[in-house]
Amino acid sequence: MRILSLLLLTIFIGSGCSSQKKADMTSTQIEYSALSRGFYKKIVVQNQTVSVTNGRDQQPVESKINTAKWNQIVAEFEKVNLEQIATLKAPSDKRAYDGAAIGNLKITQNQKTYESTSFDNGNPPKEIEKLVNLLVDFTKE
């Protein structure tokens, strides 16, 4: 009987934690920016909505994210270790000599901000590559 109670308690706690992670996405904002002297792009995702700005003097264009794409974003977001995002190493350094725009990923969750070090636009660290690519896809639509 004790084993059954312990098993049920473990399942209950485990399911509570996984549903809590999904619920946290409502208070999560993911922002990707890429900029250089002549280039500016900012993509902000929050609450199944995306806002894309394609120039410094441009107004953002906001649209809804379909459920399939949103589920992909959530799945990739859950793989990111927020505590280590600031320590990720960029795989290339073209931004140092204007060979690429400077990319940056910033995640705000529960009023705490996690920000990556800068990396070349189009070549993010592997740990956040799929998430960044999903965000950049909104500028291609």
Side-chain angles (χ1 to χ4, degrees), residues 34 38-43 51-61 136 138-141:
F39 181 80
Y40 181 87
K41 187 173 306 267
K42 182 176 178 182
I43 305 159
S51 172
V52 178
T53 308
N54 282 313
R56 285 182 174 84
D57 298 330
Q58 301 294 315
Q59 292 296 317
V61 176
V136 172
F138 288 114
T139 63
K140 298 175 183 174
E141 295 176 354

Side-chain angles (χ1 to χ4, degrees), residues 35-136:
L35 55 107
S36 68
R37 283 186 275 171
F39 181 80
Y40 181 87
K41 187 173 306 267
K42 182 176 178 182
I43 305 159
V44 180
V45 170
Q46 185 173 17
N47 292 334
Q48 214 163 343
T49 303
V50 62
S51 172
V52 178
T53 308
N54 282 313
R56 285 182 174 84
D57 298 330
Q58 301 294 315
Q59 292 296 317
V61 176
E62 194 170 290
S63 58
K64 284 289 197 187
I65 302 171
N66 68 46
T67 304
K69 182 85 167 190
W70 179 250
N71 289 338
Q72 286 179 313
I73 292 169
V74 170
E76 289 306 321
F77 172 77
E78 289 177 347
K79 295 175 186 176
V80 174
N81 183 336
L82 295 178
E83 297 297 331
Q84 293 181 351
I85 198 169
T87 63
L88 299 177
K89 178 128 173 70
S92 60
D93 204 23
K94 292 179 182 178
R95 66 198 175 281
Y97 56 86
D98 288 339
I102 300 168
N104 191 343
L105 182 68
K106 182 165 74 171
I107 298 172
T108 305
Q109 185 176 49
N110 299 325
Q111 299 177 355
K112 186 170 181 186
T113 301
Y114 306 90
E115 193 165 356
S116 71
T117 56
S118 61
F119 52 87
D120 293 346
N121 181 39
N123 195 16
K126 286 189 190 254
E127 296 86 351
I128 59 173
E129 182 176 25
K130 289 182 181 177
L131 179 60
V132 169
N133 288 340
L134 284 169
L135 298 178
V136 172

